[in-house]
Amino acid sequence: MLGRMIWGRYLLTAGLRCCRCGVSCHVRRRYSFLSDDVKSLRAVVNPDISKIRNIGIMAHIDAGKTTTTERMLYYSGYTRALGDVDDGDTVTDFMTQERERGITIQSAAVTFDWKSYRINLIDTPGHVDFTLEVERALRVLDGAVAVFDASAGVEAQTLTVWRQAEKHHIPCICFLNKMDKPAANLSFSIESIRQKLKANPVLLQIPVGSGKNFSGVVDLLTNQKLLWEQGSLGDDGRMFKSKPLDKSDEPELLQEVSEARTALIEQVADLDDEFAELLLTDFSDNFDAIPSVRLQEAVRRVTLARKGVPVLCGSSLRNKGVQPLLDAITAYLPAPSERHHDLVRWYKDDLCALAFKVVHDKQRGPLVFLRIYSGVLKSQTAVHNINRNSIERMSRLLVPFADQHVEIPSMTAGNIALTVGLKQTVTGDTIVSSKASAAAAARRAQSDDRAGKNHGEFASVILSGVEVPDPVFFCTIEPPSLAKQADLENALTCLQREDPSLKVRVDPDSGQTILCGMGELHIEIIHDRIKREYGIETHLGPLQVAYRETILHEASATDTLDRTVGASRHVVTVELAIRPRDVFSAGGLCDVDFSEKCKGHVSPEMKEAVENGVQSSYLQGPVLGYPLLGVSTLIQSVNMGQGTSPAMVSACVSRCMLKALKLAGGQVLEPLMSLEVTVGEEHLSSVLGDLAQRRGTIRDIQSRHDNKVLLANVPLAEMMGYSTILRTLTSGNATFSLELDTYEAMNPQDQNALIKRMSGLL
């Protein structure tokens, strides 16, 4: 309650602007009551670490992530009115583009209390173009809620975000949303989780009613029936009835609950030895006598060990089932102290935090989101950025509340903070209190290495950053006049810092600025933000595909550079060999190695110069100048005259690489996308015919209730404007998702056509 009062007083004194009327007023969905009692502010913003839950909401697009988040905020008392995605008044979708399009673009952090717990929640996007937002959110979270459309089960982007959660070993809860839809199917959704996600679903609830008659759930742990009244349109779902099942209930429901609870107990016993022992010792004859508390403890252990995922159901839009989901978050997902981070041991009580997101504010400058792993973060203090080897002064410390924030003096481990004043910090940087604390942590890590406590891996005192995917689309961007060039460069610098998946480069031949992004929507949003937020009317060139290149054969080359600069003569001879690698995948990066003869004669400085020369050559292939994939280089010999500079060595290596690449013969690789189209059977033939013209390869056609799910691989170059074409073919009754699968060699005819088109001959 105190947190709400402080938040209310902050809002009234801050003079916030209403998103609709644009004038200073009490924002309708926030708190509006006062409090003079601020003595317990530290306790409010720094609760006990065991009472903190850092969670993310993740799902396929349109599964109901933002609506579920909005209901959580309302039932926790954080907001006073229910927001709606269609009305554009939700808390976490606060960008203009998000409200206009009804989608989540940026992950938004919001902090609220549920009962005695502090929940730091991040609502993530579902669109594949913004998958980096999901990646960097999951990097710092302790648990996640995967939201599913109960009529569709596991969809394409659900698989992607689930893999991201698996990569970071994050315990999850599944929430089957939209149980009020006529096509909602509990058993189908459970089976799709088991089959497609390779997970072990632990069903904790049975729905009461189906379709429009969905009215509540039965909690299998307690045998309690939770019912939301079918009231008026204005019913907010805050009040619901909770009563134990009895003989007056429908026999079919009683039978279903009995069978489901028995299956739950047997499943948990198979997954948790402690519960199995309890079952065999005390309750082997009567499962009904098992205390719900002991069953809940066992489910928690199973979830934290990632042996199973609890499954709950409800309908967020109809205000049903969200409160039990909040209870499940606090009951089954881990506290920060239950997640194992070696760095906590090495830094002990010293500060260690990871910067995972940067946003720009016109008044405050860059705002950096930090996840605090150890120690205490205080405002008005200097911190050390290990990655940049720089010291920065943090002027203010804030608690994130979507697009509004509350200033606080300090924040403890386990929390997510928003900082002002870190001007050099970018996504993935490790922040510590000082160089001395980092050095002390390094000594402890090395000591553990020597003692064999790090499982054979050398311990780093720098937190692993965020993996940034390569962009697949690019286009030119031009300011309206040369006078606006500097403003455009500043805007692009700020946007790149906010969004590491956005790449900006300058074409060395034409001098044009090239914008590289994850998809058509991604670049469209960036263009719109430059116009709205920075007031620059830019012009975008046509979208182009980010091809890659590789080589066809092995080749060797020798090159000698002999150049006199001033009074110094630089002489270097390089001999190297290149060969193609077998796998041309998105991860098939190029490498460089040195022969045994060469390793002993090259100093570390010259070795770095050689590697720089090779890596710079990988940026431009021999066919069309696209970056190379799947090439391995062996440096056979490097002979240098006395006084030869590293820059000359790099130049010679690059020239030698160019010779070898031309001899090896080039091959263009095009990005191949994994496409999933959900379409009615009456439009299936039209969609199949269109994909055949796009060089698509059909992998599978599945049935999903009344629809067909089409799985295919299609070259990205053929997917320009596909959303418009698909809407036309199906009268707007189809959806699709697209993500990068691999890079594939183009056939000679398509490659020749591409070369002619790029040369202006077509």
Side-chain angles (χ1 to χ4, degrees):
M1 177 61 75
L2 177 61
R4 301 177 191 173
M5 293 177 180
I6 293 168
W7 178 233
R9 191 177 74 163
Y10 166 78
L11 289 167
L12 288 175
T13 55
L16 298 181
R17 288 185 174 271
C18 175
C19 61
R20 291 184 170 178
C21 61
V23 296
S24 187
C25 64
H26 304 323
V27 180
R28 70 175 184 85
R29 63 178 190 269
R30 311 283 190 182
Y31 296 120
S32 59
F33 40 88
L34 292 166
S35 172
D36 291 324
D37 185 6
V38 292
K39 294 179 182 177
S40 301
L41 178 60
R42 182 180 294 275
V44 170
V45 296
N46 291 310
D48 182 85
I49 194 168
S50 65
K51 296 291 186 179
I52 298 173
R53 298 291 183 269
N54 294 314
I55 67 161
I57 306 290
M58 61 182 193
H60 186 84
I61 191 169
D62 286 338
K65 298 178 302 300
T66 302
T67 302
T68 302
T69 302
E70 191 68 25
R71 272 34 177 190
M72 288 180 176
L73 299 180
Y74 179 72
Y75 297 134
S76 67
Y78 173 75
T79 56
R80 293 181 55 200
L82 288 169
D84 191 273
V85 172
D86 294 331
D87 292 340
D89 60 356
T90 58
V91 173
T92 51
D93 283 355
F94 52 83
M95 289 176 62
T96 305
Q97 293 87 351
E98 291 176 319
R99 291 184 168 173
E100 287 179 350
R101 298 166 189 265
I103 61 171
T104 302
I105 294 169
Q106 283 192 345
S107 57
V110 63
T111 299
F112 62 93
D113 294 327
W114 176 249
K115 299 182 178 177
S116 61
Y117 290 84
R118 166 61 48 84
I119 297 178
N120 298 314
L121 181 146
I122 297 182
D123 179 28
T124 64
H127 200 286
V128 69
D129 282 19
F130 311 106
T131 188
L132 177 69
E133 290 289 322
V134 184
E135 173 72 24
R136 60 182 177 184
L138 291 175
R139 171 64 186 83
V140 298
L141 295 174
D142 302 315
V145 177
V147 180
F148 299 79
D149 182 336
S151 65
V154 175
E155 299 176 89
Q157 187 63 7
T158 315
L159 274 167
T160 302
V161 297
W162 191 268
R163 289 192 204 105
Q164 290 172 308
E166 287 277 300
K167 181 172 66 177
H168 296 295
H169 309 292
I170 292 175
C172 295
I173 288 176
C174 295
F175 181 61
L176 303 182
N177 191 26
K178 305 189 179 183
M179 289 299 298
D180 59 309
K181 291 177 71 171
N185 189 315
L186 178 69
S187 58
F188 165 77
S189 298
I190 293 290
E191 191 58 29
S192 70
I193 291 172
R194 184 178 287 111
Q195 295 295 329
K196 294 185 179 181
L197 301 183
K198 309 301 179 188
N200 197 353
V202 180
L203 184 63
L204 302 185
Q205 293 177 347
I206 292 290
V208 178
S210 60
K212 292 183 178 179
N213 295 321
F214 171 69
S215 58
V217 297
V218 176
D219 188 333
L220 297 178
L221 280 76
T222 62
N223 273 336
Q224 290 285 316
K225 191 176 182 181
L226 311 179
L227 293 177
W228 282 261
E229 292 293 337
Q230 300 285 349
S232 63
L233 291 175
D235 185 12
D236 63 4
R238 188 185 293 276
M239 305 302 295
F240 61 93
K241 292 180 180 178
S242 176
K243 64 174 186 176
L245 281 175
D246 54 43
K247 294 181 180 179
S248 64
D249 288 299
E250 298 174 8
E252 294 85 357
L253 179 63
L254 290 172
Q255 179 70 18
E256 186 181 5
V257 169
S258 176
E259 293 175 357
R261 190 171 195 272
T262 301
L264 168 65
I265 291 170
E266 292 174 349
Q267 183 183 14
V268 174
D270 288 339
L271 299 173
D272 184 71
D273 292 339
E274 185 179 334
F275 183 72
E277 186 177 345
L278 172 71
L279 204 63
L280 292 172
T281 306
D282 301 330
F283 304 101
S284 57
D285 298 329
N286 186 7
F287 282 3
D288 291 335
I290 298 172
S292 60
V293 174
R294 304 301 293 272
L295 182 54
Q296 187 182 73
E297 290 171 353
V299 172
R300 176 175 173 80
R301 289 193 296 271
V302 167
T303 307
L304 297 187
R306 297 176 58 251
K307 294 179 180 178
V309 287
V311 178
L312 298 92
C313 49
S315 173
S316 298
L317 186 63
R318 304 302 173 200
N319 310 320
K320 296 170 185 174
V322 177
Q323 295 96 324
L325 175 61
L326 283 165
D327 289 333
I329 288 169
T330 59
Y332 305 124
L333 293 181
S337 55
E338 293 173 301
R339 296 273 288 158
H340 300 295
H341 301 286
D342 285 333
L343 284 134
V344 175
R345 184 174 78 243
W346 298 324
Y347 279 95
K348 294 188 175 180
D349 294 329
D350 289 331
L351 172 67
C352 179
L354 178 71
F356 67 94
K357 184 176 172 68
V358 180
V359 296
H360 279 81
D361 184 273
K362 290 182 179 178
Q363 281 75 39
R364 299 182 180 124
L367 306 178
V368 180
F369 284 82
L370 297 179
R371 162 67 195 270
I372 308 170
Y373 287 95
S374 65
V376 179
L377 190 64
K378 297 179 180 178
S379 61
Q380 300 294 330
T381 56
V383 293
H384 176 61
N385 185 325
I386 299 181
N387 302 72
R388 312 284 147 206
N389 193 24
S390 63
I391 295 175
E392 295 191 86
R393 187 169 186 83
M394 187 174 55
S395 58
R396 299 171 68 190
L397 186 62
L398 310 168
V399 178
F401 290 99
D403 58 338
Q404 304 297 336
H405 316 108
V406 175
E407 186 171 356
I408 54 169
S410 65
M411 189 168 278
T412 55
N415 282 292
I416 290 174
L418 190 57
T419 61
V420 181
L422 304 182
K423 300 187 183 301
Q424 298 179 38
T425 303
V426 299
T427 297
D429 285 355
T430 301
I431 303 297
V432 297
S433 54
S434 64
K435 279 188 177 182
S437 69
R443 287 193 296 272
R444 295 184 192 107
Q446 289 168 1
S447 176
D448 281 357
D449 275 328
R450 288 192 292 271
K453 295 180 181 179
N454 291 330
H455 309 291
E457 298 179 1
F458 179 74
S460 171
V461 294
I462 300 178
L463 290 158
S464 59
V466 179
E467 292 183 17
V468 181
D470 290 329
V472 293
F473 275 115
F474 69 93
C475 64
T476 59
I477 183 169
E478 296 175 356
S481 65
L482 283 176
K484 288 284 186 178
Q485 181 67 37
D487 293 337
L488 176 60
E489 290 174 1
N490 175 64
L492 291 174
T493 300
C494 292
L495 290 170
Q496 277 188 98
R497 196 172 170 204
E498 286 189 20
D499 181 3
S501 65
L502 172 68
K503 306 291 185 186
V504 179
R505 59 183 175 85
V506 177
D507 188 286
D509 298 323
S510 65
Q512 289 180 299
T513 303
I514 309 295
L515 202 62
C516 308
M518 299 302 298
E520 290 181 88
L521 180 61
H522 186 204
I523 289 180
E524 185 182 332
I525 294 294
I526 293 296
H527 184 220
D528 192 45
R529 289 188 65 188
I530 292 172
K531 176 183 176 181
R532 292 183 193 237
E533 296 174 25
Y534 297 92
I536 306 172
E537 292 279 356
T538 55
H539 172 70
L540 289 184
L543 278 178
Q544 299 181 59
V545 176
Y547 293 99
R548 296 290 186 267
E549 295 183 27
T550 190
I551 56 174
L552 296 172
H553 314 289
E554 294 186 15
S556 300
T558 304
D559 194 69
T560 300
L561 185 146
D562 187 346
R563 188 170 298 169
T564 302
V565 179
S568 302
R569 186 184 179 195
H570 303 267
V571 180
V572 57
T573 300
V574 175
E575 183 181 353
L576 55 81
I578 60 173
R579 64 179 179 84
R581 294 171 65 178
D582 293 334
V583 181
F584 300 142
S585 66
L589 302 177
C590 303
D591 61 12
V592 57
D593 198 8
F594 291 81
S595 66
E596 291 299 324
K597 173 182 127 179
C598 190
K599 283 179 182 176
H601 297 84
V602 180
S603 67
E605 185 183 22
M606 289 303 171
K607 182 180 178 183
E608 183 180 358
V610 171
E611 290 176 345
N612 288 340
V614 174
Q615 294 297 339
S616 65
S617 301
Y618 285 156
L619 297 176
Q620 210 162 13
V623 183
L624 289 170
Y626 288 105
L628 285 159
L629 277 183
V631 178
S632 183
T633 299
L634 178 67
I635 306 298
Q636 295 170 329
S637 68
V638 180
N639 297 312
M640 295 165 288
Q642 190 172 2
T644 300
S645 72
M648 292 299 177
V649 173
S650 294
C652 183
V653 170
S654 294
R655 205 164 69 175
C656 190
M657 281 289 294
L658 185 60
K659 282 184 180 179
L661 289 171
K662 287 182 177 178
L663 290 171
Q667 168 71 57
V668 176
L669 305 174
E670 63 178 343
L672 196 67
M673 310 302 285
S674 177
L675 173 70
E676 179 177 306
V677 183
T678 303
V679 60
E681 192 165 358
E682 66 275 16
H683 298 297
L684 180 62
S685 59
S686 301
V687 174
L688 286 171
D690 179 67
L691 286 177
Q693 295 178 351
R694 296 175 185 272
R695 296 191 284 135
T697 303
I698 308 301
R699 299 200 315 270
D700 194 12
I701 299 176
Q702 302 172 351
S703 296
R704 183 181 292 168
H705 304 303
D706 297 331
N707 292 325
K708 294 292 184 182
V709 179
L710 184 63
L711 305 177
N713 285 337
V714 191
L716 178 61
E718 305 292 341
M719 297 303 290
M720 298 287 192
Y722 184 66
S723 58
T724 303
I725 299 297
L726 185 64
R727 279 197 298 269
T728 304
L729 289 173
T730 63
S731 302
N733 293 319
T735 60
F736 79 99
S737 64
L738 200 65
E739 66 175 319
L740 179 64
D741 182 25
T742 185
Y743 281 89
E744 187 177 77
M746 295 184 77
N747 63 50
Q749 294 84 0
D750 292 331
Q751 180 169 318
N752 289 335
L754 175 65
I755 293 171
K756 289 179 180 178
R757 188 166 67 249
M758 298 295 289
S759 306
L761 300 177
L762 283 179

